[in-house]
Amino acid sequence: MKKGKLSLQAVIIIFVCIVVALSLGITDLIISKRITSSVEQTEKEKALNVAKMVVLSPQVIGALEGKVNKKNVQVFSNQIRKKTNVNFVVVMDMKGIRLSHPEPEKVGKHFTGGDEGPVLKGKEYVSISKGTLGRSMRAFTPIKNSQGKQVGAVAVGISLESVIKAVHKGRMGMVIGTVIGILIGVVGAVGLARYLKRILLGLEPFAIARLLEERSSMLQSVREGIIAIDQEGNITLVNRAASKLLKKAGLEGNPIGMNVEEYLPETRLARIVESGESEMDQEQNLHGVTILVNRVPVIVGNQPVGAIATFRDKTEVQILAEQLTGVRNYADALRAQAHEFMNKLHVILGLVRTEQYDTLANYVSETVNHRETEVGFVTKKVQDPVLAGFLIGKLSFARESGALLSLDCANKLPKPVNSEITHELITIIGNLVDNAMEAIADSPIKKVELKLDYAEDILTVEVKDTGMGMTKSLQNKILDKGFSTKGDNRGFGLYLLAQAIERLEGDLIISSKPGKGTNFAVYIPYNAEDE
């Protein structure tokens, strides 16, 4: 953990403690008011009930009328006070003179407090005032005889200290509940923090934030477009490269949060989530922009929870593939010529050491003539130096492989207007010749014929081999991407051939029978430079 940053557990504990304390504090404040009000109302009703009980006593009424000894009132009042647990029960006549009091020496004296006036006028009420026994809640009730005439009054008092004690007693439960709630909250916070940390692989929030920023920067920096969706098919991620390609395809706006089927109806991401199976190197037309897409499900706990598509503009991939293919073909041609030249040097060296100078002279003469004839024929017929060099290399490679590759070019082939055609032709001829060379590897007659014929802006490329041939069903599959009868990681040459022919808007015709070899004929529109 970095210095100065709290751990997830500490943050959750502090937060939970604050929330619990604040919530229970507010609850305590609200309930305390209700408790206070409830206690005061209860004590008020208690005092009034005691007072009403006293005013109905015949002894009290008789004493106030002078019919009964007034000392009986003191005895009766003290009994009531003790049984009801009130602070005092004071009976007074109409002049406010006490007939009873908890302190006997106060009997016969005037009632103290100044709040007895209304009761002597027949009103029943409750007030708070300070008397000889301190501040108290007093319930006043008039005393009337059997004729309904008021003959005195009774005051029942409850000390405010007892009311406060009752309130504090009620609040004590809330305080205890608050403390228990905080303790439970801390325990729960610790458990929650540990659970979250386990889910988050032991990472703290700041570490997750930094990791998220790093991953986001990585995703935004790659050249491939990336789109991710969740289990419901809503788009959750679109990096900069994807936004650029989408904008190129005419799709504006921020797609985050949109349903992928609504934003990109052509995509198959929703099906990937359902099936849980990947789709690699798929072509997709995105509003006129052709892209190469890889779609893979996001698996969590053996269940697909989303899908990711990575894609790139096919034009960029094609240019890269053409460059790589051209470099490979040129390298193969140079290697073949170098190997062939080394073999000839070995022959020359052997003739020199054996001093067979006449034979040496004839051999060198034949080699030079053959080389000049071959190079001269190719460069005379093929005006594009890149394509000519490529064909010379293929002729050398065939000789090195022990096969006979013949080149027939009846008419001169001028340079194309667009140099991209040359790259496509290298892809087409190179893959056709390589495929033919592999086809005759186990054949007793190892012969490949390459024919170039240019007429009326149409270039015909024909490659015929003496291999084992193909069945009709095999002919229908050989142009499929990844299909090969020669093992894994093969089957891309003829696929690239078909793609190149499609880009040049050409046609391909395959003629083959088992045991009788194969003939590939390609017809391409060819715009040549003016001679």
Side-chain angles (χ1 to χ4, degrees), residues 150-209:
Q150 183 175 355
V151 293
V154 63
V156 177
I158 297 176
S159 174
L160 287 181
E161 290 183 3
S162 64
V163 175
I164 294 172
K165 287 180 180 178
V167 172
H168 284 172
K169 186 177 180 181
R171 293 188 63 188
M172 200 57 163
M174 284 299 303
V175 173
I176 295 173
T178 300
V179 173
I180 294 175
I182 291 176
L183 292 176
I184 294 174
V186 170
V187 174
V190 172
L192 177 61
R194 291 180 178 176
Y195 173 72
L196 290 177
K197 202 165 184 179
R198 186 167 64 253
I199 292 177
L200 300 176
L201 305 178
L203 297 175
E204 295 292 344
F206 59 84
I208 296 173

Side-chain angles (χ1 to χ4, degrees), residues 72-113:
N72 294 338
V73 175
Q74 174 71 1
V75 176
F76 175 75
S77 297
N78 284 334
Q79 290 176 346
I80 295 297
R81 177 179 62 82
K82 292 178 181 178
K83 289 185 178 295
T84 57
N85 197 26
V86 296
N87 198 31
F88 63 82
V89 177
V90 176
V91 177
M92 69 188 83
D93 60 17
M94 293 301 293
K95 294 179 181 181
I97 302 301
R98 302 187 188 102
L99 275 67
S100 65
H101 194 276
E103 298 176 0
E105 66 272 12
K106 302 288 178 67
V107 176
K109 295 182 180 181
H110 197 279
F111 187 84
T112 303

Side-chain angles (χ1 to χ4, degrees), residues 15-88:
F15 180 74
V16 168
C17 288
I18 291 174
V19 171
V20 171
L22 187 61
S23 301
L24 293 179
I26 294 173
T27 303
D28 178 51
L29 181 63
I30 296 172
I31 293 180
S32 293
K33 289 184 177 180
R34 293 186 178 180
I35 290 175
T36 301
S37 176
S38 176
V39 169
E40 289 179 352
Q41 183 64 27
T42 301
E43 296 297 317
K44 176 181 176 181
E45 292 176 356
K46 176 182 177 181
L48 285 173
N49 289 334
V50 173
K52 289 178 180 179
M53 183 173 60
V54 172
V55 300
L56 296 176
S57 173
Q59 293 181 5
V60 174
I61 296 173
L64 289 172
E65 290 179 332
K67 298 177 181 180
V68 178
N69 190 346
K70 292 183 179 180
K71 291 182 179 180
N72 294 338
V73 175
Q74 174 71 1
V75 176
F76 175 75
S77 297
N78 284 334
Q79 290 176 346
I80 295 297
R81 177 179 62 82
K82 292 178 181 178
K83 289 185 178 295
T84 57
N85 197 26
V86 296
N87 198 31
F88 63 82

Side-chain angles (χ1 to χ4, degrees), residues 138-303:
R138 307 176 177 201
F140 292 93
T141 300
I143 301 174
K144 298 179 182 180
N145 59 17
S146 57
Q147 288 79 31
K149 180 182 177 181
Q150 183 175 355
V151 293
V154 63
V156 177
I158 297 176
S159 174
L160 287 181
E161 290 183 3
S162 64
V163 175
I164 294 172
K165 287 180 180 178
V167 172
H168 284 172
K169 186 177 180 181
R171 293 188 63 188
M172 200 57 163
M174 284 299 303
V175 173
I176 295 173
T178 300
V179 173
I180 294 175
I182 291 176
L183 292 176
I184 294 174
V186 170
V187 174
V190 172
L192 177 61
R194 291 180 178 176
Y195 173 72
L196 290 177
K197 202 165 184 179
R198 186 167 64 253
I199 292 177
L200 300 176
L201 305 178
L203 297 175
E204 295 292 344
F206 59 84
I208 296 173
R210 185 179 65 248
L211 186 63
L212 180 62
E213 290 177 358
E214 292 174 355
R215 295 297 184 269
S216 178
S217 299
M218 292 177 186
L219 289 173
Q220 297 297 338
S221 63
V222 298
R223 293 190 63 185
E224 284 73 18
I226 300 175
I227 292 180
I229 65 169
D230 58 20
Q231 198 167 8
E232 286 72 35
N234 298 320
I235 299 175
T236 59
L237 171 68
V238 178
N239 70 343
R240 278 194 291 267
S243 298
K244 184 178 179 181
L245 277 173
L246 294 174
K247 188 176 292 184
K248 183 178 179 181
L251 296 169
E252 302 290 343
N254 184 10
I256 300 295
M258 296 181 63
N259 188 276
V260 70
E261 293 294 335
E262 296 177 0
Y263 189 74
L264 292 171
E266 302 88 356
T267 188
R268 293 172 51 86
L269 280 178
R271 298 182 184 179
I272 297 300
V273 177
E274 294 176 2
S275 65
E277 297 180 357
S278 302
E279 294 182 357
M280 311 302 291
D281 300 325
Q282 300 294 312
E283 287 190 20
Q284 179 180 335
N285 188 287
L286 196 64
H287 293 195
V289 178
T290 303
I291 59 176
L292 291 177
V293 189
N294 294 321
R295 308 181 186 95
V296 295
V298 178
I299 306 296
V300 176
N302 296 325
Q303 292 294 328

Side-chain angles (χ1 to χ4, degrees), residues 329-350:
N329 289 329
Y330 300 150
D332 288 343
L334 289 173
R335 182 181 61 81
Q337 292 188 48
H339 192 274
E340 183 183 18
F341 183 66
M342 287 298 298
N343 290 335
K344 295 183 183 302
L345 286 178
H346 290 155
V347 174
I348 293 172
L349 179 60

Side-chain angles (χ1 to χ4, degrees), residues 442-510:
D442 299 326
S443 178
I445 301 176
K446 302 182 186 309
K447 183 177 181 181
V448 177
E449 297 178 7
L450 170 61
K451 181 178 180 181
L452 302 177
D453 187 11
Y454 170 67
E456 298 180 357
D457 295 332
I458 296 293
L459 173 61
T460 302
V461 178
E462 192 172 353
V463 177
K464 184 178 181 181
D465 63 63
T466 58
M468 301 305 295
M470 296 181 291
T471 62
K472 194 66 177 179
S473 61
L474 189 59
Q475 294 178 41
N476 296 330
K477 298 178 181 178
I478 58 173
L479 299 181
D480 293 343
K481 184 178 181 181
F483 177 79
S484 175
T485 59
K486 303 178 179 67
D488 297 333
N489 299 320
R490 302 292 300 272
F492 293 96
L494 293 180
Y495 170 77
L496 294 175
L497 162 76
Q499 296 294 306
I501 294 173
E502 182 179 349
R503 286 192 292 272
L504 295 177
E505 298 180 353
D507 293 316
L508 170 66
I509 297 176
I510 304 174

